[in-house]
Structures are given as structure tokens and as C-alpha cells.
Amino acid sequence: MSMADLLVIITDVLLRTVFVMYFPRSFLNITPVCPTIFVLAFAATLISVWFTVAFTFDRFLAICYQNVKAKYCTERTATVIMGIVCVFSCLISVPWYFTMDPEYNMHNTLWGCVWNQAFLNLTSWASFELLMLSVIAWFPFFLLLLLNALTARHILMSGRVRRGLRGRKPGDNDPEMENRRKSVVLLFCISGSFVLLWSTRVIYVFTERVFGTPYVKGSEFESVGFMLQVLSTCTNTAIYVLTQNKFREQMKSAVRYPIYLIVKLVKNRNAS
């Protein structure tokens, strides 16, 4: 998931936005390259979203169906699923290349890319965009909400059984139950952050396509939606990974290691 999120930052933020804005005469603005970057950015976003769904489903199986954990929650299965998600995301993103036309011609070279009239006016292209929005936002959100709700329900029910077996009252202090309550909060934070950060972008595209609002690039509403959408590719990784003790320990080791090398180098120089 971290690599997918990094690809989103590289393609969607750096190549498609920053470099195009601040280096307008670079080769990235040539017409064949410009829509290609858009395709790569959409594919990277799609991969990031569905990696999160796949990871959530993996945790759902591991927590709620521990009898199949050893069979399906394996490195081999994860590799196959990631490969399928990557190939599918790249293939489904290809049609976006044909939604753009050159913006202008300078010295017999086509520069820039703008939405072509067919994409703006034809019902088939509008249906395609809404379908892509469903694949990248609505359907993943439904799955995340469903899987997290089922996982939270399983944790709460197992907690009640645990209290009954241990003879504890609901108000008693139980470290295991405290960890499970934190897991429930974590699961709902994931679903909540996804829908909140994607809602602006979803509303923008939906109102433009369904209610016929003029499709204008560069509006403030679209800019805010784009910013929140890009941010959403980072939040789930942070929520999932940064809360893990092993990851935090490795992060501390990675920070301390360069300091250790510098101190060792200084000591060796002083000794010599």
C-alpha cells in the first residue's frame, strides 16, 4: 500500500500537477505524454484504493475466520491478488487516454491536453466516467464499510463472550478488551476518512454529469476535491501501519541508525 500511495504522489501530484504547472515547456506537456501521465495517475490511484480494500479483506478473514487464515492469508495469495489488482487497474485506465485532445500547436508540435468534445457531450463517455467513479470510490467505500462493520461486530461479540467466560463485569479493566475497543475505533476511522476525503470529488463529478452543470476545469470545488482525493491515498496507510508497534520500532531504528553511524565516524576520527 505504501508503494501504491508513493506512485500516486509521483504521478498525480508531481508529474501531473507540479511539473506541468511550474515547467510548462517540459516534455511532460507534449500531447502524447500528457494523457499518458493522466492514465498512470488514475491507475495508481485505483491500485492504492483497491490495495486498501484487499488489505481490509485480509484482516477480515484473519480476525473473523481464523480457520482459513493459514490457507488464504499467505504471502503467495497476497502476491497473486496484488498482481491481479495492478493488471486490472492498468487495463481499465487505458480509455482515459482517448478522452483528451491537444491544447495548442506550436512549431508543428502538439502541446497540452484538454477534454475533447466527445467526452464532454456524449452520454457514453459520461456513463464511463460514472462507472470509473463507482470502481474507484463508491464500490470500495461500500466494501470497506461492510468489512469493517463485520469485523467490529465480531470483535464486540467475542468481547462479550470473553467477559462471560472470565466472569468480568462490563466496567472491569481488561487489557485485551481495551485493545479490541481500540481496533473497533481504528476500523471506523478508516471507513470514515475514506468517505469524507472522497465525498467532495464524488459530489463534483456526480453533479456535473447527472445534473448537467458546466464541466469547467480549475474551479475551486474541483481543486479542493482533488486535494482531498490525493490525501485519501495516504491516510489509510498511516492509520493501518503507523499504529503497529513493529513498524514504529523499525521507524525508530531507521532514524537512530544514521545518528549511530555519524557518532561512530566521529569517534573513529578522534581515535586516529
Side-chain angles (χ1 to χ4, degrees):
M1 289 196 303
S2 299
M3 287 301 299
D5 293 341
L6 180 61
L7 288 176
V8 174
I9 299 301
I10 293 174
T11 57
D12 213 356
V13 178
L14 295 180
L15 296 182
R16 195 168 77 91
T17 305
V18 175
F19 279 87
V20 171
M21 181 180 299
Y22 292 99
F23 303 96
R25 294 294 181 265
S26 69
F27 75 98
L28 297 176
N29 248 347
I30 299 175
T31 297
V33 179
C34 181
T36 301
I37 292 175
F38 185 85
V39 171
L40 294 176
F42 186 87
T45 304
L46 198 59
I47 291 171
S48 174
V49 169
W50 281 97
F51 272 9
T52 302
V53 175
F55 184 80
T56 304
F57 182 72
D58 180 83
R59 294 299 87 199
F60 167 73
L61 288 180
I63 295 174
C64 300
Y65 298 95
Q66 296 189 7
N67 56 326
V68 300
K69 178 181 178 180
K71 183 177 181 181
Y72 294 105
C73 300
T74 62
E75 184 178 350
R76 176 183 174 85
T77 303
T79 303
V80 172
I81 295 299
M82 288 190 295
I84 293 174
V85 170
C86 290
V87 172
F88 176 77
S89 300
C90 292
L91 291 178
I92 203 174
S93 303
V94 171
W96 285 108
Y97 185 90
F98 304 99
T99 63
M100 296 182 177
D101 287 334
E103 188 173 2
Y104 58 91
N105 188 323
M106 185 173 66
H107 305 302
N108 295 325
T109 302
L110 299 178
W111 291 82
C113 50
V114 293
W115 301 116
N116 59 42
Q117 292 301 314
F119 175 75
L120 297 178
N121 299 324
L122 290 182
T123 305
S124 56
W125 277 117
S127 302
F128 168 78
E129 186 174 19
L130 291 177
L131 176 62
M132 292 299 99
L133 192 64
S134 301
V135 172
I136 203 171
W138 292 335
F139 192 45
F141 167 69
F142 171 76
L143 289 177
L144 285 175
L145 187 62
L146 176 63
L147 294 173
N148 288 335
L150 292 175
T151 305
R153 178 176 176 270
H154 176 82
I155 293 174
L156 293 175
M157 291 183 63
S158 62
R160 293 173 184 171
V161 174
R162 177 183 174 85
R163 283 197 300 268
L165 294 176
R166 293 171 62 91
R168 290 178 177 268
K169 298 180 180 180
D172 290 343
N173 203 7
D174 188 349
E176 179 64 23
M177 291 305 303
E178 186 64 26
N179 290 334
R180 294 186 180 187
R181 280 192 290 269
K182 290 180 180 179
S183 298
V184 173
V185 174
L186 178 64
L187 291 174
F188 281 102
C189 284
I190 293 165
S191 299
S193 66
F194 185 86
V195 66
L196 288 175
L197 294 175
W198 269 93
S199 59
T200 305
R201 180 68 176 174
V202 171
I203 293 173
Y204 172 77
V205 176
F206 185 79
T207 53
E208 297 232 323
R209 284 309 195 181
V210 175
F211 298 106
T213 306
Y215 201 91
V216 180
K217 296 288 291 181
S219 65
E220 293 182 1
F221 194 73
E222 184 195 23
S223 299
V224 172
F226 172 73
M227 179 187 67
L228 295 177
Q229 171 197 321
V230 173
L231 181 62
S232 71
T233 61
C234 306
T235 54
N236 284 336
T237 300
I239 292 172
Y240 272 127
V241 180
L242 294 180
T243 54
Q244 304 301 313
N245 293 330
K246 291 183 179 180
F247 181 85
R248 289 200 298 268
E249 291 300 323
Q250 292 180 359
M251 180 71 73
K252 292 177 182 177
S253 299
V255 173
R256 287 196 297 260
Y257 187 69
I259 300 175
Y260 167 77
L261 290 179
I262 294 173
V263 173
K264 184 178 179 180
L265 179 62
V266 171
K267 288 183 178 179
N268 291 335
R269 290 191 61 181
N270 292 336
S272 61

